Amino acid sequence: LYDSIPPQAPMGLKYDVTSSGAVKLEWNANAESDLQGYEVYRSNFLNAEFSKVSRGIVEQPQFRDSLSGQSLQGKVYYRLKATDNRFNSSLFSEALTVVLPDRIPPVPPAIKNVKNTVHG
């Protein structure tokens, strides 16, 4: 029989992020018996195109991502797709907003001189 029915979109996305910027994603496992796994996508902007960050199919409902560099955005967004054994892909999951730790130090003060004057 020809299988053209895709799995349901992944749900229950949650995250944990370390101070170094490592992100651990977790979600509810899909219940389809012919589920092959998941694909993870990321974007720096919610309304921009999402790029695939997982290599191949992720078999377990979890994924670790390492964000290199120092992001000025402060947030990154993830979406997932579920794929079955016939490579039918689900719709994208709802976007998950990940708030990143602030790793950019403040600019050092640039006071060049101080002058005390009395007005009177």
Side-chain angles (χ1 to χ4, degrees):
L1 296 175
Y2 179 72
D3 177 11
S4 63
I5 301 171
Q8 293 293 317
M11 297 184 349
L13 279 72
K14 57 187 174 184
Y15 75 93
D16 186 29
V17 63
T18 66
S19 60
S20 65
V23 178
K24 180 182 179 186
L25 302 173
E26 294 181 330
W27 56 92
N28 299 336
N30 281 41
E32 290 87 1
S33 61
D34 64 340
L35 184 75
Q36 185 178 28
Y38 308 91
E39 297 173 310
V40 181
Y41 296 79
R42 180 180 67 215
S43 177
N44 290 327
F45 303 97
L46 182 58
N47 296 323
E49 186 171 346
F50 283 68
S51 299
K52 186 176 175 182
V53 293
S54 58
R55 293 184 179 146
I57 300 292
V58 176
E59 295 179 1
Q60 299 300 316
Q62 60 186 6
F63 181 76
R64 292 184 187 273
D65 194 16
S66 178
L67 303 173
S68 61
Q70 296 180 338
S71 174
L72 296 176
Q73 294 296 81
K75 294 179 184 176
V76 68
Y77 304 91
Y78 288 92
R79 286 187 162 177
L80 283 77
K81 282 185 175 182
T83 303
D84 66 15
N85 290 325
R86 295 280 185 165
F87 296 99
N88 297 311
S89 290
S90 71
L91 297 174
F92 273 115
S93 66
E94 292 292 321
L96 174 68
T97 303
V98 174
V99 178
L100 301 174
D102 184 5
R103 298 187 301 167
I104 300 173
V107 176
I111 299 173
K112 294 190 178 186
N113 70 20
V114 176
K115 184 177 181 182
N116 186 5
T117 60
V118 178
H119 297 290

